[in-house]
Amino acid sequence: EAALAASGTVPVAEDGKRKINLSGRQRMLSQRMAKATCFAAAGVNAFQHMIQARDAYDLFDETLAALRHGDVELGMNPVTAPRILTELLMVEELWDSYGTLIRRSTSGLEEANYNLKLVAQLNMPVLRQMHRTVGEFERHYGGGGEIHHVLARAINVSGQQRMLSQKASKEFCLIVAGQDVEENRAALAQTTALFERSLNALLMGSDVLQMPPAPTDEIERQLEIVKGIWAPLKTIFEATTSGSQPSQAEITKVARDNNTLLREMNSAVGMYSEL
């Protein structure tokens, strides 16, 4: 009954934009937890990274419940679409083991070190399943005409950039930590290329992604800010994928500036969500 009372309290278009945004943010959080655990294990601002991983854990856990059951404060109605519910239940199953692992890994540095290999394995199924869920939200609200399908796409793609900022930094850190180095070099090359391609698509438009150029001056300016922070990180990532060993200064820069990149990209997503 409580769920019924909460249903329909948020206008459908607002609910849809919020769900695409916040389910998209879940992708980012899956990567942020793994990235922060890796930097903690590698001894880079270990204490701060433990807190960052734990905060990301808490936010993922709260948001997952809100996406499914609704949350008036977050501006979301309960999910009733069967296909979306199915996807969310699959996320919950994977989250059960990944979330437990993150909780364990943030209890101390020894735990972070000990569990790093498993964290590196378990974060990806959560990301992939969460990505499918975002696609389902985009199809549901963008295909049903509640939100223009181009805007639904833009919120999804700009939201995905937040995730890629964390995924690239995670892969970079795993290389530094000596974990499956060749595999992570290949993954980092793909992540870097996708971030670059998507950023250009958001700015200038893309036929392939069915994206128009930045729809407002404000969004264009914001994306240019993102580009400015991204450029030096991209240089470090590309050198690392080519086999060069990152310097201590570069490791410190990535560990710090990926958070700035994430914050500025998140502002851009917020601007799309308000259109």
Side-chain angles (χ1 to χ4, degrees):
E1 284 179 11
L4 280 176
S7 91
T9 47
V10 181
V12 178
E14 294 312 307
D15 177 44
K17 286 192 274 193
R18 202 88 182 112
K19 284 203 175 98
I20 298 169
N21 181 354
L22 293 189
S23 62
R25 190 179 71 182
Q26 293 288 80
R27 292 179 296 201
M28 177 279 286
L29 291 170
S30 77
Q31 297 307 289
R32 190 165 174 77
M33 286 177 252
K35 176 215 76 175
T37 303
C38 179
F39 275 119
V44 182
N45 289 341
F47 184 65
Q48 278 171 285
H49 279 110
M50 295 288 244
I51 293 170
Q52 192 181 103
R54 197 53 195 250
D55 286 350
Y57 166 88
D58 289 340
L59 189 53
F60 188 102
D61 203 51
E62 284 164 28
T63 308
L64 190 55
L67 281 166
R68 187 172 160 202
H69 303 294
D71 185 312
V72 177
E73 278 178 35
L74 286 175
M76 294 193 291
N77 299 323
V79 165
T80 52
R83 285 175 67 164
I84 296 177
L85 275 174
T86 304
E87 299 292 352
L88 282 171
L89 285 169
M90 287 166 78
V91 174
E92 282 174 14
E93 274 178 40
L94 292 164
W95 174 236
D96 204 33
S97 44
Y98 182 48
T100 304
L101 181 65
I102 292 293
R103 271 213 318 276
R104 268 214 313 275
S105 304
T106 51
S107 63
L109 274 183
E110 274 179 35
E111 287 286 338
N113 264 307
Y114 179 74
N115 290 319
L116 184 57
K117 200 166 190 60
L118 199 51
V119 169
Q121 286 164 6
L122 291 192
N123 76 88
M124 285 307 293
V126 175
L127 170 61
R128 281 192 287 267
Q129 181 53 38
M130 204 60 240
H131 186 60
R132 279 197 287 273
T133 310
V134 186
E136 206 51 65
F137 276 121
E138 185 198 320
R139 271 189 296 280
H140 181 78
Y141 290 98
E146 279 85 9
I147 309 169
H148 194 287
H149 67 93
V150 173
L151 178 57
R153 183 105 198 97
I155 297 171
N156 185 353
V157 172
S158 61
Q160 180 175 271
Q161 293 290 82
R162 295 176 297 197
M163 177 276 285
L164 294 172
S165 76
Q166 300 304 290
K167 184 173 186 279
S169 307
K170 173 204 75 176
E171 288 154 354
F172 172 82
C173 179
L174 289 169
I175 294 164
V176 169
Q179 295 274 340
D180 297 319
V181 172
E182 287 315 309
E183 202 178 301
N184 279 301
R185 277 208 177 108
L188 178 58
Q190 282 188 317
T191 308
T192 305
L194 182 55
F195 189 101
E196 178 74 6
R197 204 162 56 239
S198 304
L199 184 55
N200 288 332
L202 287 163
L203 264 166
M204 296 175 288
S206 159
D207 292 340
V208 178
L209 285 176
Q210 297 174 306
M211 294 274 292
T216 67
D217 290 346
E218 187 193 19
I219 288 176
E220 187 179 348
R221 276 197 302 274
Q222 186 58 31
L223 291 170
E224 288 293 352
I225 291 171
V226 168
K227 200 168 188 172
I229 301 160
W230 167 243
L233 291 177
K234 180 189 159 197
T235 304
I236 296 171
F237 292 154
E238 287 180 340
T240 306
T241 58
S242 305
S244 97
Q245 205 47 43
S247 68
Q248 202 50 54
E250 287 172 329
I251 295 166
T252 305
K253 184 173 176 60
V254 171
R256 184 191 62 223
D257 290 2
N258 79 83
N259 298 304
T260 317
L261 181 64
L262 170 62
R263 193 170 59 242
E264 296 300 345
M265 199 58 234
N266 192 46
S267 295
V269 184
M271 291 171 189
Y272 278 110
S273 298
E274 279 162 26
L275 289 174

